[in-house]
Amino acid sequence: QVQLVESGGGLVQAGGSLRLSCAASGRTASTYTLGWFRPAPGQEREFVGAISWSHSTTDYADSVKGRFTISRDNTKNTVYLQMNSLKPEDTAVYYCAARLGYRLEYNSNAYSYWGQGTQVTVSS
């Protein structure tokens, strides 16, 4: 079992920045992938970005590419989602998810473990 706890959400004006954290505990391993998701119309959870923990490879949704950056701190078992140039359409609950395996996955169904989510609200 892997436990994930997100933090860092809040209210910010358009153009501002926030950094979300996802702290992993429990049966953590270097052979897993962390993803960030948010609800979207027509989808249960939309892919935002992901990082392969051991390889540090990342990928992002087109809608956030160039604005969001995922990084990790091995010593803290924590993954970060740095969000810059925020837009009102980025408003959502952001979820951190984990799956065993090196490969980045874009479908939320591929992830076995989920955090409780953290609210991000961007005002115009």
Side-chain angles (χ1 to χ4, degrees):
Q1 287 287 342
V2 176
Q3 291 80 44
L4 304 171
V5 178
E6 302 98 331
S7 61
L11 173 64
V12 65
Q13 288 189 330
S17 299
L18 280 175
R19 189 179 77 161
L20 306 184
S21 300
C22 175
S25 61
R27 193 178 174 182
T28 56
S30 61
T31 57
Y32 62 85
T33 296
L34 266 290
W36 288 95
F37 291 83
R38 64 189 184 188
Q43 303 180 51
E44 183 173 341
R45 288 178 181 174
E46 171 190 46
F47 173 80
V48 175
I51 183 168
S52 173
W53 190 275
S54 59
H55 295 165
S56 288
T57 54
T58 57
D59 201 6
Y60 304 90
D62 288 342
S63 59
V64 307
K65 202 168 288 186
R67 300 188 297 122
F68 291 10
T69 303
I70 297 176
S71 61
R72 58 157 174 66
D73 184 333
N74 287 347
T75 64
K76 298 181 179 179
N77 271 346
T78 299
V79 169
Y80 303 98
L81 179 65
Q82 178 66 44
M83 304 186 296
N84 298 329
S85 301
L86 282 162
K87 305 175 181 180
E89 51 264 42
D90 293 320
T91 295
V93 176
Y94 283 73
Y95 295 91
C96 174
R99 63 176 299 274
L100 292 178
Y102 298 103
R103 189 172 60 196
L104 301 182
E105 290 286 349
Y106 304 88
N107 191 318
S108 60
N109 292 329
Y111 292 77
S112 303
Y113 307 100
W114 291 84
Q116 82 288 351
T118 185
Q119 176 71 46
V120 171
T121 303
V122 184
S123 63
S124 56

